């Protein structure tokens, strides 16, 4: 990794804990001769009159991006990094996240390790998604967790035809359909009944939400596959959402094409915290 | 049952099959000296210049209501009957419904039986639901299938506290929550993972939709219970829906109170078609 | 309830905690002028040379039966009571049971209340089960939790035809089939994917274990129903088990007939501990 | 592939359909100058006085093994091939198998293609399993579908500690635990609630059977992982089964070590029949 000269800082707004943490972090960076670029929320936590940039611009020119918040803040930071090789240092404020596994107590020791280039990087493959309309690509997204198509209204249902590598898989009449990375398997897909997929598995998971058939089950396909979803629902009945955060309404006959992305997110993780440790703590997994 | 002198007819619009069926039905009623009140859709299928009334007014003064359509048409007819002792004669156009179990072939023989008072009535208990805001009852509904509270937006979740007879049951953080009658157990609740509840069971089923905990399971409570749901989500994040058809947005701190209704729907059923027969045909239940 | 002059005591063997509790309990009973009949395990915990009777004989002539152990000990005590109106006072050693909800700390205060006839009784309906072979009844059991039919060998499967009140419900090809009371809904049925059924619901739950079809779901039927299971598997492939404790191998063409029992178990419960409280504590139900 | 000079034939006993098929097959092979080695069941279907060998010896010296039967017959044929590069030509008698996808109508055309070396081979990775006791390897198995550990008796449960690559995953108190290949995902694992895993996914699935916790979910791990199961149940309470066919009782403290095998089964498949086609036909998957 490149030596860290400038870090970007993206914070979740209105978190009590950040009011002390952000000034301490800025002082620490000053004392270690590291520059920083911050978003508005970070500036508001500091006592300083710092210049701010939009979240999307924070990563520009940085060698590290620090996220102070929860998994939601991290997901938007991941989109801001947009495939660049800038590692994310994600600190969880007030809880434990699947992705934001660094606690506030570990912030400075881990940051020290990162500066010495001794940190551990976990690569998380992203999911690339494009929307085709009348043969044109009208939108493109990168997801860390999932691409979800849901109905916008309780009275309706989505009606989707799913092909994997040009083979017909299933027609889904359901409340929705989740295409999830292994990273996203512990997020929305888990709520909908999907399995837990270890991050090292090269697979994508197709999980229906409240399917109108008794026979439907989550399906795992290779991450070398291309998943193509054809929307048969009328205009604006189905809505596409990326990582639960951004998206757009779909038109009838839109095609949503998903494949494993060329990009991977580089996530800095504390050495002791492993996948199943988080699972047990977050979900009380395996406990009676 | 009172002798049948006038029948109401409620039809699903734009069903090809009804174009021949409705004139035949009207001719049959004329020849048997039975009067009728029809809604607009029924009138449009007939070749006659009939007076029409709104769906809600069709049952007035009738001793029988005929539904031509699917389970959806029947659900709205049930609301129009609104607890009066008028039996529903529900004919399924183009499929098999859980509730609309009479096929078009059976229409005239079964109608004949109904006129001779030889039909079989199945009583289906309804679910009464009221919305309390600042201590006032601001809305009241009767549901045949279910009362559902869902989030309106993918980025949010509902946050509900559920009490049964004043005992705390669970706090639900989920996509939604379904309170279902036995009749509704084969509708939305089944999609969300609920059990199949025989119509004769005196119970209500509480089924979460995509709960954010791994531990949640459907819960069956006695239909002598009062279920109280307190909405903790911000104004307009949660939406209340009755039988998938009508409803309203909820405010923070709204209470949704559900209890088994004093009303039951009287459903005329062909003698041969039983609960599990429909289940097997509709859902291919139990098949390999 | 009859005044308590003699209590029966049934203990789980080899529980450290009972070595102090049993002598204390006997002293308490002596000082309150209450006689006792004990099983061998109880005698071994006492320092006295008490006469002992078999577990099955302990309840004879008692007005109360005290169980020291877990839910398993209670299930066998319930069979020993065999439908007589003798309340069960069930103390959990070293944990929390769904049925044994009285803790060791509460033992004496609750016993005091029972002597004053101020205790709360919860009635739990039992499930009556008989095995018919060539038209004869060859066995009869009473279950508090469940009647289970399982295959004895991994290579095989059970093959059962289920009728409810003479209507065909389903043919089950599976690892097993559970017929559960509401009380048993939080036991084996829950592990197999069944719903949680409040004790006041008048229903029986039919839950398949690892069904070989994708479409199978738990089914709730009225406790006024008679459930008839016809065994199509060859002799000795299927095994019948009552409350996980007693049972016998089934022959091909055996019929297992289950109905709600005329008997109910009278369970003494502490006033504060309610169904969902136990559920939350035992299963971390509803927790994230 | 090597030119086919000799084929092995393994048949399921007592299948009516084979009485005509086997003589026709032998005549076809004679007329094409192809030799054969047969098991006893095959000989009994033929009208000839053929020499027979045990199932295990059938593949020796063959360039192709023909299976006439169902998926069960194929599983035992796969063990007989034991990692050698001999393709399996699996004909389903009287049904459709996930693995035995060639119908009797297709037998001769497909065999013709195989002789011309124009057939399609699907490689299916196997699962290697060894049992360690006091540090020694006491047994070794190769599974095509799954390695399963179950309790032998309804009154007990298994108690297993699962580690993946030396990281603690979960302690399973359950009826059993299934370690499944993608091939096996549509077999026992599916009955126990596991997901459908496309054969091209490089993963193993860990699916608990009736777990005694509400939180358990199937887990997918990379097929580069080593899964280690430590048996904490007393001697002979847990039983190990390979592909539902062979196995042995486990002792307390036995370790079952599973990893993706170096061997893959070469399965000859008709060109038209794909994974999801079989799924739809066998399981009515995705149907309403």
């Amino acid at each position: 990794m490149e030596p860290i000269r400038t870090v970007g800082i993206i914070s979740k707004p209105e978190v009590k804990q950040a009011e002390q943490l952000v000034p301490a972090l800025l002082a620490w960076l000053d004392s270690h001769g590291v520059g920083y670029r911050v978003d508005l929320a970070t500036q508001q936590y500091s006592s300083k009159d710092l210049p701010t940039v939009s979240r999307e611009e924070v990563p520009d020119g940085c060698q590290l991006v620090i996220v102070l918040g929860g998994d939601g803040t991290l997901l938007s930071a991941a989109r801001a990094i947009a495939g660049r090789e800038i590692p994310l240092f994600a600190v969880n404020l007030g809880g434990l996240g699947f992705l934001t596994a660094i606690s506030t107590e570990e912030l400075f020791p881990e940051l020290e390790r990162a500066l010495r280039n001794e940190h551990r990087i976990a690569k998380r493959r992203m999911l690339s998604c494009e929307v085709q309309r009348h043969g044109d690509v009208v939108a493109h997204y990168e997801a860390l967790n999932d691409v979800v198509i849901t109905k916008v209204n309780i009275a309706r249902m989505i009606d989707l035809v799913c092909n994997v590598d040009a083979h017909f898989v299933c027609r889904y009449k359901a409340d929705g359909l989740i295409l999830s990375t292994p990273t996203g398997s512990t997020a929305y897909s888990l709520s909908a009944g999907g399995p837990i997929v270890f991050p090292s598995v090269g697979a994508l998971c197709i999980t229906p939400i409240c399917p109108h058939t008794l026979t439907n089950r989550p399906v795992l396909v290779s991450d070398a596959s291309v998943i193509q979803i054809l929307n048969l629902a009328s205009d604006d009945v189905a809505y596409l959402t990326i990582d639960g955060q951004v998206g757009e309404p779909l038109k009838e006959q839109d095609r949503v094409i998903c494949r494993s992305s060329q990009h991977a997110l580089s996530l800095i993780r504390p050495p002791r915290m492993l996948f199943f440790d988080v699972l047990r703590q977050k979900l009380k997994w395996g406990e009676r």
Side-chain angles (χ1 to χ4, degrees), chain A:
Chain A
M1 199 173 88
E2 244 185 301
I4 297 172
R5 288 179 309 269
T6 307
V7 302
I9 308 177
I10 291 173
S11 301
K12 183 178 178 180
E14 292 176 44
V15 179
K16 191 82 192 158
Q17 211 181 346
E19 291 171 14
Q20 298 203 310
L21 196 67
V22 166
L25 173 59
L26 298 182
W28 190 95
L29 292 170
D30 287 336
S31 73
H32 286 72
V34 178
Y36 35 83
R37 284 167 68 83
V38 305
D39 68 354
L40 184 62
T42 306
Q43 189 271 328
Q44 287 173 338
Y45 290 128
S46 80
S47 49
K48 298 184 180 175
D49 184 22
L50 297 174
T52 66
V53 291
S54 72
R55 271 195 184 184
E56 287 64 35
E57 294 168 302
V58 166
D60 298 352
C62 296
Q63 293 80 41
L64 184 78
V65 171
I66 297 175
V67 167
L68 304 174
D71 283 356
T73 322
L74 182 141
L75 289 169
S76 77
R79 278 201 308 282
I81 287 175
R84 285 174 285 182
E85 275 292 320
I86 308 169
L88 249 177
F89 185 102
V91 180
N92 199 289
L93 299 182
L96 176 69
F98 277 106
L99 298 167
T100 51
I102 300 170
S103 67
T104 53
E105 292 74 40
E106 297 165 328
L107 197 169
F108 295 114
E110 288 299 321
L111 212 44
E112 199 104 42
R113 291 168 58 93
L115 252 60
R116 291 199 306 266
N117 205 14
E118 290 172 2
H119 54 282
R120 195 172 66 103
I121 291 275
K123 291 270 182 184
R124 300 294 189 111
R125 288 289 281 283
M126 297 185 76
L127 180 58
S128 182
C129 162
E130 63 183 41
V131 181
Q132 292 181 358
R133 188 169 296 153
H134 310 307
D136 297 325
V137 175
V138 295
H140 175 262
Y141 301 96
E142 298 273 311
L144 182 58
N145 272 345
D146 45 39
V147 169
V148 180
I149 301 173
T150 44
K151 58 180 186 146
V152 294
N153 185 306
I154 194 188
R156 306 297 191 82
M157 64 180 178
I158 58 159
D159 185 355
L160 304 172
V161 175
C162 175
N163 284 271
V164 172
D165 296 334
H167 300 311
F168 171 55
V169 170
C170 195
R171 181 165 176 184
Y172 290 99
K173 297 187 178 186
D175 276 14
L177 190 68
I178 303 168
L179 307 182
S180 159
T181 62
T183 297
S185 73
T186 53
Y188 197 13
S189 175
L190 197 66
S191 297
I196 293 164
V197 185
F198 213 88
S200 54
V201 175
L204 299 171
C205 188
I206 306 172
T207 308
I209 304 170
C210 296
H212 291 212
T213 57
L214 283 175
T215 56
N216 251 313
R217 281 289 177 83
V219 173
L220 276 285
V221 300
S222 164
D223 67 358
S225 302
V226 177
I227 303 171
Q228 183 185 280
I229 309 292
L230 172 64
N231 177 36
L232 297 184
S234 308
D235 288 5
D236 304 330
V237 164
Y239 196 91
L240 175 73
T241 309
I242 308 302
D243 284 342
Q245 297 192 336
V246 298
E248 60 181 286
L250 294 177
K251 302 286 180 200
E252 197 175 336
Q253 296 292 324
D254 275 0
R255 283 167 205 274
V256 178
I257 316 286
C258 292
R259 53 168 64 82
S260 198
S261 174
Q262 292 172 299
H263 302 141
L265 183 71
S266 297
L267 209 54
I268 294 182
R269 297 182 74 88
R272 50 150 199 79
M273 185 59 80
L274 297 161
F275 182 69
F276 283 103
D277 300 325
V278 180
L279 208 56
R280 268 190 302 276
Q281 285 193 42
K282 283 280 288 183
L283 297 180
K284 300 187 188 305
W285 189 65
E287 282 191 27
R288 164 123 203 174

